[in-house]
Amino acid sequence: MTDKKNGREYLNYVLEKLKERITEISLSLAEGQKEVEGMHEYYWENYTEMDQYGYENYDNQQALFRQISANEEQLILKQRFRRMVDSPFFGRVDFIYEGEDEPEIFYIGIGNFAEKAGHIPLVYDWRAPVSGLFYDYDKGPASYEAPMGEIHGEVASKWQYKIRNGKMVYEFESDVKIDDEILKAELGSNGEVQLKNIIRTIQKEQNAIIRNTKDRIMVIQGAAGSGKTSVALHRIAYLLYHDRKNLKSSNILILSPNGVFSDYISHILPELGEENIKEMSFDLFAYKQLRDTVSDCEDRYDEIERRIRFPKKVSLAEEKQSMEFIDLMERYIMELEDRLMNFRDVEYKGFVKTESEIIELFYFKFQDYPLLSRMDAVADYFIDEVETLRDRDLADDEKELIREKFMKLYVTRDFYVIYSQFLKENGYKGLPRVSFEKRKLKYEDVYPVLYLKYRLQSQQGRSNIKHLVVDEMQDYSRLQYEIIQRIFSCRMTILGDRAQTMDDKQQDVLTFLPKVFGRDIHKIIMNKSYRNTVEIATYANRLAGIEDMELFERHGVPVEEKVFADVKAAVKEIQDMLKLGEEEYETAAVILRTEKEAEQVWLLLKEELEKTDFDVKNRLSWLDRNSTSFRKGLTVTTFYLAKGLEFDQVFAVFPEKDQTPLAEQARYIAATRALHELHMYELEN
C-alpha cells in the first residue's frame, strides 16, 4: 500500500490498480463470450433431442440470458474504469471521526473504485454520503448522513486535484470552499461540444439541490448561466446512485427542447456513471399520441416563425392554452355526456341489451370511466353475460363484433370532429373538413386536442417513468402542465428561466404550478450566473431589465455593438472577427431570428469561407429543427434552437427595425449564449 497523504504517489498506485482491474475484466469478458458461444453451439447441436416439455431448452435459455447480462455489467464496469484512467479522482477530504485522533483519508472521483469487488474503495463515488463532506464543509466540525445514521467529526483538510491523461496537472490544499480560482479556470476554458460535468466545482448550494431526496417535485428557477441544467442532470445521477434498488436509468424521462439539446447533454449522465436515459421533446410526445387523430402536427417553432413573420397577426396559442380555455373545454365535456350518445337496443344472436339497461350501465355503473371508454366497459359487461349464459368463451372475432355494435352508439369518437365542433360553438373558427391524410393541427390546437383525448379516453399509464425532468419550464403553458400532471404521477425536477421565454412576455409558472401539482412543491431560486463574463452578463441583464442577478467575478472583453447596411456586410465582419483556431476558441455561433435568415447567412458564410483555408465541411454547420447533433467550429442557427447551448464567441444578427417583444427576448437569449465574446449586430436593411 502506498502513502495516501501523497496525492501524486497515490495517483500512480490507483492507476496501476485500475489497469489491473481493466485487464481482469477483459479476460472475464473473453471467457464470458466463449460461454455464450458454447451455449449457442450446444443448443443447435442438441435442440432436436431436448425433452418434449421444453424444460432443458428453458434452462439453457435462462443460463444464456444470465451470462449475457453478466457480460453487459462487466462491459459497463470496464467502460467506467477506462474513463477513470484519465482522471481517477479530483478531490480529497481528511476526516477525523468523533473520538479518534488520526484522520481517515477519502479520495473522491467520478465513481467508486476498489481493488476487488466488495473491498474498501480506493476512490469514492462523488455521490457517496462521505463525499458530501467535500462539497458542504470547510475545515472544522462536520457530519454526513450514513446508512447507520449521522456521523460526526472534523474535517482536518481538503485537497483539490486536476488530473489529465493520468498525469497530475496540479494539487493544492483548500481549507475553505471549493476554490474560486479553480472555478474561474474551469469557467474560463473554451466551450465544449457538449455540456461539461461540474463534479469538481459543485458549490454548496448546488450540492443541496443535487442530494435532495425528500421532495417529490422540485422546481428550479435559475438565471441564465446559473448551471440549472447541469445541477438537474447531476441530481438525476445522484438519485440513481442513492436509490439504485428501485430506480433505474430506464425509469427516467427528460423532456428536452429539441434534438440538438438532447445531443448536447447526452454524454453527461454516462460520464457520471449512468446510461440509457430517455429524452424527447414534449412536441414529439404530443405528435406520437395524436397519430391516430391527425396525420401531422405543427411544433412550437412553427408558431414562433409565424409570429416573427406576421407580428401584427393575433396568435391564439396563448389563449387556447389558458385556464379560461380549459374551463370552456371542461364545460363542453360535461355536455358531451348527452350530446355524444345515440342509445338504442343492442342484439347479438338472440341476446338483447335494452336501451334503458345500457343507459343505466352507462350513466351509473360505469360513470367513473372516461366518456369515450365507457361504452367499452358496457360492451365487456354484455360479453360476460353472454359467455355466462352460453357457458363458453366467445371467440375474439365475436367479441369484436359485439364491441362494434356498442361503439356505434356514439355519434362520433373522432377527437378532430369533437374539438372542431367545440371551437365553433365557442366562437372560434372550426378545423378544416378534410380527409385524415390532410389533417394537420396548428400548434395552437395541438395541446387542446391532446387534453380532450386524455379527458375523454382511458390512457395507458406511464408507471414505468418514476422521475420526469422538464427543462425550459417557462415555455410550457398551463394546459401543457395539466396534461403532464395527468400523464405522469411520478417525482419531477422542473427547471427553467422565466427571462428566457419565447413568448411576447415573461411567464412565471411558479404562480400556477402548485395549483396543478399540489402544494408539495419545493421551489429553489438559483440567482448566481457562472456562464458569462461580467461584461456579457451585465449587457444581457440590461436587455431583459434584470437587476437582482449575482455575477461570478470573471471578466473579459467588452460587448461589441455595430450596425450594418445589409447582411453581406455583417457576414464580412463576422469572417474578419472569427477566432476559431488552435490557440483561440473551440466554438462560435451566429444567431438569428428565423430559419430563412439562418440559412441565408450560412450560405453566405460558406461561400466566403471556402475562399480561405477554413475547413467548411467539418467546421461550419447550420442547425435547424431537424438537426440532432452539435459540433465544434462555427454554428449558424436561430435563437430558439440556441437555447440551452453555449459558445465561446457569439455573433447575434437582428434587423434593427424589429423591436417587438419577441425580438427583444431573442436578443437576450442570443446574448446569454456567449461564454467569452459577444458581438451584437443590427441590420439597417
Side-chain angles (χ1 to χ4, degrees):
M1 185 64 181
T2 189
D3 180 12
K4 288 186 78 171
K5 292 181 179 179
N6 187 321
R8 293 178 182 270
E9 191 178 316
Y10 195 71
L11 170 62
N12 293 329
Y13 179 77
V14 171
L15 284 171
E16 183 187 327
K17 296 301 175 183
L18 268 169
K19 289 168 184 175
E20 287 177 9
R21 285 292 305 275
I22 291 168
T23 302
E24 288 172 9
I25 293 170
S26 297
L27 292 170
S28 176
L29 278 168
E31 288 297 316
Q33 188 55 39
K34 283 182 183 177
E35 283 287 323
V36 170
E37 291 169 1
M39 289 178 191
H40 278 299
E41 190 176 326
Y42 175 82
Y43 176 81
W44 289 113
E45 287 178 356
N46 298 279
Y47 77 97
T48 56
E49 299 174 13
M50 290 183 181
D51 64 275
Q52 60 177 319
Y53 300 108
Y55 294 132
E56 189 178 353
N57 181 35
Y58 176 80
D59 289 343
N60 189 68
Q61 290 293 326
Q62 290 301 301
L64 179 63
F65 291 147
R66 282 194 297 272
Q67 187 60 57
I68 291 173
S69 179
N71 288 0
E72 287 175 350
E73 287 178 12
Q74 288 283 89
L75 186 61
I76 291 170
L77 197 61
K78 182 181 176 181
Q79 289 168 342
R80 178 155 64 82
F81 288 163
R82 275 183 169 172
R83 283 196 290 268
M84 289 183 74
V85 168
D86 178 63
S87 179
F89 52 83
F90 57 82
R92 170 184 142 192
V93 60
D94 297 3
F95 185 66
I96 304 172
Y97 286 97
E98 204 170 57
E100 300 289 331
D101 297 321
E102 290 296 313
E104 189 162 342
I105 297 173
F106 300 96
Y107 281 85
I108 300 159
I110 205 77
N112 274 326
F113 173 67
E115 289 187 53
K116 300 286 182 183
H119 286 206
I120 294 173
L122 299 176
V123 178
Y124 286 81
D125 193 296
W126 66 276
R127 298 166 291 183
V130 74
S131 301
L133 294 169
F134 179 75
Y135 298 113
D136 289 341
Y137 289 98
D138 305 333
K139 193 173 180 180
S143 64
Y144 67 93
E145 196 67 41
M148 69 284 294
E150 193 167 9
I151 307 296
H152 294 268
E154 181 182 339
V155 172
S157 67
K158 288 195 323 186
W159 288 74
Q160 288 183 257
Y161 305 91
K162 185 166 185 176
I163 301 165
R164 288 291 177 268
N165 300 317
K167 305 289 184 184
M168 184 76 74
V169 180
Y170 59 68
E171 59 178 326
F172 70 93
E173 187 174 3
S174 173
D175 289 341
V176 288
K177 62 180 181 174
I178 294 170
D179 195 84
D180 274 356
E181 290 304 312
I182 301 301
L183 182 55
K184 197 174 291 184
E186 288 291 306
L187 297 170
S189 62
N190 288 340
E192 299 286 340
V193 177
Q194 294 171 315
L195 191 66
K196 300 174 184 175
N197 84 63
I198 59 170
I199 57 169
R200 296 178 66 245
T201 57
I202 291 171
Q203 305 296 287
K204 186 175 180 177
E205 64 274 16
Q206 294 174 329
N207 195 47
I209 300 170
I210 291 167
R211 293 176 182 258
N212 182 307
T213 60
K214 66 180 189 295
D215 291 306
R216 196 179 79 82
I217 297 177
M218 179 177 283
V219 181
I220 305 169
Q221 178 81 271
S226 60
K228 55 187 175 294
T229 302
S230 289
V231 167
L233 294 174
H234 284 65
R235 181 173 189 240
I236 292 302
Y238 178 78
L239 292 174
L240 285 164
Y241 177 90
H242 176 80
D243 193 21
R244 46 193 178 274
K245 287 184 179 177
N246 303 308
L247 189 65
K248 310 295 180 191
S249 54
S250 58
N251 301 137
I252 310 286
L253 174 63
I254 299 173
L255 292 180
S256 56
N258 51 61
V260 173
F261 186 72
S262 295
D263 178 63
Y264 185 60
I265 65 171
S266 62
H267 84 302
I268 278 286
L269 287 158
E271 195 174 90
L272 298 176
E274 304 297 343
E275 310 276 347
N276 304 321
I277 304 291
K278 295 189 285 289
E279 299 170 62
M280 70 167 61
S281 72
F282 199 37
D283 286 348
L284 178 59
F285 178 87
Y287 168 68
K288 287 183 174 182
Q289 296 301 300
L290 293 174
R291 281 185 298 189
D292 58 351
T293 304
V294 294
S295 64
D296 200 5
C297 298
E298 285 187 347
D299 59 26
R300 185 172 182 82
Y301 304 136
D302 290 303
E303 170 71 12
I304 293 169
E305 291 273 342
R306 188 162 47 244
R307 279 166 47 209
I308 293 171
R309 288 198 310 273
F310 310 106
K312 294 181 180 178
K313 191 174 180 180
V314 177
S315 171
L316 293 175
E318 184 179 348
E319 185 177 332
K320 286 184 175 181
Q321 298 194 34
S322 65
M323 193 66 222
E324 291 74 21
F325 198 79
I326 296 171
D327 290 339
L328 281 178
M329 283 195 292
E330 284 296 330
R331 286 199 288 273
Y332 184 70
I333 288 167
M334 290 177 67
E335 295 170 7
L336 284 176
E337 285 220 346
D338 297 322
R339 296 171 54 180
L340 208 57
M341 306 312 303
N342 184 15
F343 294 111
R344 56 187 180 275
D345 294 352
V346 172
E347 184 271 338
Y348 179 75
K349 293 186 177 181
F351 296 91
V352 179
K353 184 61 68 178
T354 64
E355 180 181 335
S356 61
E357 288 176 314
I358 294 171
I359 289 172
E360 176 73 20
L361 290 168
F362 189 86
Y363 285 115
F364 297 99
K365 186 172 181 62
F366 299 116
Q367 62 177 332
D368 293 333
Y369 284 64
L371 185 60
L372 291 182
S373 296
R374 207 176 294 176
M375 202 55 78
D376 272 316
V378 177
D380 287 339
Y381 187 88
F382 181 66
I383 289 168
D384 285 343
E385 284 186 334
V386 174
E387 288 181 334
T388 301
L389 292 167
R390 281 194 163 189
D391 197 26
R392 71 171 180 84
D393 292 340
L394 296 177
D396 289 343
D397 58 340
E398 291 180 289
K399 292 179 182 178
E400 190 56 38
L401 183 61
I402 292 172
R403 286 198 181 93
E404 284 177 13
K405 287 176 177 286
F406 280 94
M407 292 305 110
K408 287 179 180 178
L409 303 184
Y410 289 113
V411 175
T412 181
R413 289 186 293 150
D414 190 332
F415 295 108
Y416 187 90
V417 173
I418 295 169
Y419 177 68
S420 184
Q421 188 61 39
F422 158 75
L423 288 176
K424 288 188 282 190
E425 289 187 18
N426 285 278
Y428 297 93
K429 186 180 178 182
L431 301 179
R433 296 181 66 180
V434 293
S435 63
F436 178 85
E437 292 74 23
K438 294 181 180 178
R439 288 181 178 180
K440 182 176 181 178
L441 285 179
K442 284 187 175 181
Y443 181 74
E444 66 192 42
D445 295 310
V446 171
Y447 291 97
V449 174
L450 187 59
Y451 182 80
L452 270 183
K453 184 171 184 176
Y454 275 97
R455 285 287 286 109
L456 294 175
Q457 192 176 71
S458 297
Q459 301 297 320
Q460 189 175 3
R462 297 290 187 289
S463 57
N464 63 311
I465 302 300
K466 296 180 180 179
H467 200 107
L468 180 73
V469 179
V470 180
D471 202 0
E472 303 293 352
M473 68 181 184
Q474 72 281 354
D475 293 332
Y476 289 74
S477 66
R478 172 69 181 266
L479 178 61
Q480 288 172 311
Y481 280 113
E482 292 285 351
I483 294 169
I484 288 171
Q485 189 273 332
R486 290 182 176 278
I487 300 171
F488 304 101
S489 58
C490 58
R491 297 164 71 92
M492 297 182 192
T493 302
I494 304 172
L495 61 142
D497 172 17
R498 67 181 179 186
Q500 292 188 64
T501 183
M502 292 190 292
D503 291 317
D504 293 341
K505 59 180 183 290
Q506 293 184 13
Q507 172 190 232
D508 188 0
V509 300
L510 293 176
T511 59
F512 62 74
L513 281 184
K515 298 172 185 173
V516 178
F517 295 108
R519 297 195 178 276
D520 60 339
I521 289 179
H522 184 50
K523 304 172 193 174
I524 291 175
I525 307 296
M526 296 178 67
N527 217 29
K528 187 172 184 177
S529 177
Y530 295 95
R531 176 191 296 136
N532 321 111
T533 62
V534 170
E535 290 76 10
I536 294 170
T538 303
Y539 178 89
N541 290 346
R542 191 166 66 247
L543 286 178
I546 298 170
E547 298 178 349
D548 59 346
M549 186 185 295
E550 186 183 350
L551 304 181
F552 183 77
E553 282 292 323
R554 180 173 70 86
H555 289 274
V557 297
V559 175
E560 181 194 36
E561 293 183 287
K562 269 192 176 181
V563 181
F564 296 92
D566 55 36
V567 69
K568 287 186 177 179
V571 165
K572 182 67 173 69
E573 183 76 1
I574 291 168
Q575 187 182 355
D576 292 341
M577 298 298 293
L578 193 60
K579 295 181 182 177
L580 289 177
E582 288 186 10
E583 303 299 320
E584 297 177 305
Y585 297 139
E586 295 278 1
T587 59
V590 185
I591 299 176
L592 302 106
R593 292 187 311 167
T594 67
E595 279 190 332
K596 186 178 179 181
E597 291 170 358
E599 185 179 15
Q600 181 192 12
V601 168
W602 174 70
L603 289 169
L604 286 170
L605 277 167
K606 185 171 181 286
E607 184 181 337
E608 291 301 317
L609 290 171
E610 280 176 341
K611 300 173 184 176
T612 69
D613 60 354
F614 191 89
D615 184 358
V616 170
K617 184 179 178 182
N618 296 308
R619 302 271 288 167
L620 176 66
S621 55
W622 172 37
L623 289 187
D624 64 11
R625 70 182 73 183
N626 297 314
S627 300
T628 56
S629 62
F630 180 43
R631 300 187 301 180
K632 285 186 180 180
L634 178 58
T635 298
V636 183
T637 190
T638 58
F639 75 94
Y640 52 79
L641 289 175
K643 280 183 73 173
L645 308 180
E646 57 187 36
F647 307 87
D648 295 318
Q649 191 179 26
V650 167
F651 303 89
V653 183
F654 290 88
E656 190 177 36
K657 64 183 179 184
D658 189 355
Q659 300 297 323
T660 60
L662 181 57
E664 289 302 297
Q665 289 295 131
R667 287 179 173 90
Y668 172 74
I669 290 168
T672 55
R673 301 307 95 203
L675 288 166
H676 310 304
E677 270 190 38
L678 174 62
H679 305 263
M680 298 295 291
Y681 294 165
E682 300 285 320
L683 304 178
E684 291 178 344
N685 301 304

